């Protein structure tokens, strides 16, 4: 839990399926946020099953093109470099 004013915005290069939440958390970690695991036998997280999205299919389906994955990989490399500057 953090004040909205301190949390960085999502990077719009990672819209759809692919690294949007990972890039956001990576950015937070690089900006000094600390993360903790709740160590309690009564704590849990649940996520309901749902059909694969069009974005997931564009990235991982058997007929998905390599162009999207290559674009995402390039964005990831550039994103990490920008945070280090």
């Amino acid at each position: 839990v953090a004040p909205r004013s301190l949390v960085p915005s999502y990077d719009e290069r990672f819209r759809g399926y692919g690294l949007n939440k990972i890039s956001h958390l990576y950015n937070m970690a690089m900006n000094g946020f600390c993360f903790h695991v709740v160590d309690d036998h009564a704590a849990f997280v649940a996520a309901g099953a749902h059909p694969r999205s069009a974005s997931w299919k564009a990235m991982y389906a058997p007929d998905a093109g390599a162009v999207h994955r290559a674009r995402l990989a390039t964005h990831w490399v550039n994103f990490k470099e920008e945070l280090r500057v």
Side-chain angles (χ1 to χ4, degrees):
V1 178
R4 183 181 295 212
S5 61
L6 297 179
V7 177
S9 298
Y10 273 85
D11 190 310
E12 294 180 8
R13 291 175 286 190
F14 300 106
R15 66 189 180 279
Y17 197 94
L19 300 176
N20 55 344
K21 291 178 282 299
I22 293 169
S23 64
H24 185 71
L25 292 171
Y26 186 89
N27 190 349
M28 291 176 71
M30 292 293 290
N31 281 287
F33 281 82
C34 295
F35 300 91
H36 303 277
V37 175
V38 176
D39 186 15
D40 187 316
H41 70 282
F44 66 93
V45 174
H50 54 82
R52 302 286 191 202
S53 69
S55 294
W56 183 92
K57 291 174 185 173
M59 184 69 151
Y60 296 110
D63 60 341
V67 173
H68 183 65
R69 286 191 294 271
R71 179 183 58 79
L72 189 62
T74 300
H75 287 329
W76 179 245
V77 169
N78 293 338
F79 170 78
K80 291 194 302 183
E81 282 299 317
E82 291 165 10
L83 288 178
R84 289 190 184 107
V85 174

